[in-house]
Amino acid sequence: MDTTKINQLKGFIDTVKANPEMLYRPELGFFKSYLESLGATLPPKTEDTSSAEEEEEEQRMPRTHETHGESSPKETPQEEEEEPIVDPPKPDESIFNDPSDPEKLEPESEAVPSTGPEDKVELRDDEMDKQNGLKQEATEALEDGDLHKALDKYSEAIDMGGATALLFARRATVLLKLKRPLAAISDADAALKLNPDSGRAYRIRGIANRKLQRWEQAHSDLAAAQNIDFDEATEEVHKYVDEKWDKISQMRREYQNQLDENNKLRKEREIKKRRAAAQKAYEAQKEADEEHHPQSSSSSMPGGFPGGMPGGMPHMSDPDLQAAFSNPKVMAAMQEMMQNPANAMKYMSDPEVGPILQKLMSKVGGAMPGGGFPGAH
């Protein structure tokens, strides 16, 4: 028997012992008749019992369904208002760019030079002699300080085909001196395509990116250049770029951490919302079942199914079960299995009912409602 009801009954008996006049109240007539049928001697009725005392005693009586009819209505819990989740604005990395930076270059509008014919990899001997002559002329022009002539000669040599990574790197150096950082980056890319270990190409591209204030790319290129072929003259610019990049990467990490935290909170709220919806659906179904099947016991299935489950009904705080028992198809299947346990086999492969049966079986030790699977005995 329910311990709560036993305690309520004890409280009622104690109240009657203290105030036996209560037995003469009309609503307790059934109890008075029961005591008399057992041969009990009841104290005489006292006529001067005040209504105030009766009301006071009634307030002290345990509130049971027998004495007060239906229980007090449940209070609907108020949903807590959740603060909106607001993602931080994307960080503005341009704050680390110094407008007065003397090394800063603007991207040029000129087209990048041609990288030569891709299908011509090898040159004839006479072509190689001519190409070497052009490279020599470019070197002499550089010694004379004529950057434009040096660029023209390097470009002629490259247009002949079969250009090496070193040739592209040399022209990239000239282009950077002519304040054409995008063209220098293009030639450095071509050099690295031919030789991925060209420290010179990484260095030129890193410095070009530094002048364009592309701190992430500059950091990566200069780190690679110094790792492949350390250059003391490059170390100063390398440290300057690293300082910029450290600040930017820190800002990015903080931004990403906040996004991750917000996404985690959104997921937690979504799970909470789904569980609340499942609980609400379950309680609504349970209330409807109690209205239509007031005689259902605690061991019966939701909806008043006969038979119950071995070991009692599993704990219905499980959101999956709560949602399942608000599904008409699942409820109909359970009703059918209660009437004939052999029907359980045909529902095991059902995508909606099967998983619920498996979960119920795990919660009640493998037995099915209504007596288990056919042949289990």
Side-chain angles (χ1 to χ4, degrees), residues 51-87:
S51 59
E53 291 177 348
E54 291 178 357
E55 185 175 346
E56 182 180 352
E57 293 301 330
E58 184 176 355
Q59 293 296 328
R60 292 205 300 261
M61 286 180 63
R63 295 184 176 273
T64 64
H65 291 291
E66 292 79 10
T67 58
H68 290 275
E70 297 183 357
S71 59
S72 58
K74 297 179 181 178
E75 294 183 1
T76 303
Q78 297 293 327
E79 293 185 2
E80 296 181 4
E81 291 187 5
E82 296 177 328
E83 294 184 3
I85 301 174
V86 181
D87 287 333

Side-chain angles (χ1 to χ4, degrees), residues 209-368:
N209 278 316
R210 176 262 175 272
K211 291 181 179 295
L212 291 170
Q213 296 185 333
R214 298 175 177 177
W215 306 114
E216 182 177 6
Q217 297 93 323
H219 163 76
S220 176
D221 286 339
L222 292 175
Q226 294 296 79
N227 185 53
I228 294 171
D229 180 20
F230 183 82
D231 178 46
E232 186 67 34
T234 307
E235 191 60 16
E236 183 177 353
V237 65
H238 185 208
K239 289 181 178 179
Y240 178 80
V241 169
D242 276 356
E243 290 177 2
K244 294 284 189 180
W245 172 241
D246 286 344
K247 295 176 182 178
I248 292 173
S249 58
Q250 174 65 24
M251 185 169 64
R252 287 186 184 180
R253 283 193 298 271
E254 292 174 356
Y255 171 71
Q256 188 60 49
N257 288 341
Q258 185 61 56
L259 289 182
D260 292 343
E261 188 66 27
N262 285 356
N263 290 334
K264 179 182 177 182
L265 184 56
R266 288 189 182 97
K267 187 175 181 180
E268 290 174 351
R269 287 188 180 181
E270 181 62 24
I271 292 174
K272 181 180 178 182
K273 186 183 297 183
R274 290 180 181 178
R275 287 178 176 173
Q279 180 68 24
K280 184 177 181 180
Y282 163 70
E283 291 176 354
Q285 182 64 43
K286 182 180 178 182
E287 183 177 348
D289 290 343
E290 289 175 350
E291 291 179 359
H292 291 86
H293 304 276
Q295 301 301 322
S296 297
S297 66
S298 60
S299 63
S300 298
M301 289 294 295
F305 290 130
M309 299 187 69
M313 185 65 189
H315 197 275
M316 288 302 293
S317 62
D318 188 313
D320 292 337
L321 292 181
Q322 294 172 8
F325 284 120
S326 64
N327 184 332
K329 180 178 179 180
V330 174
M331 298 293 284
M334 296 302 293
Q335 177 71 62
E336 188 175 337
M337 285 183 285
M338 285 298 179
Q339 295 172 354
N340 183 5
N343 290 327
M345 293 301 295
K346 75 175 184 179
Y347 283 110
M348 289 302 293
S349 59
D350 188 281
E352 290 184 72
V353 182
I356 301 304
L357 294 182
Q358 294 286 354
K359 179 163 286 193
L360 286 173
M361 289 170 64
S362 67
K363 290 181 176 293
V364 297
M368 284 301 301

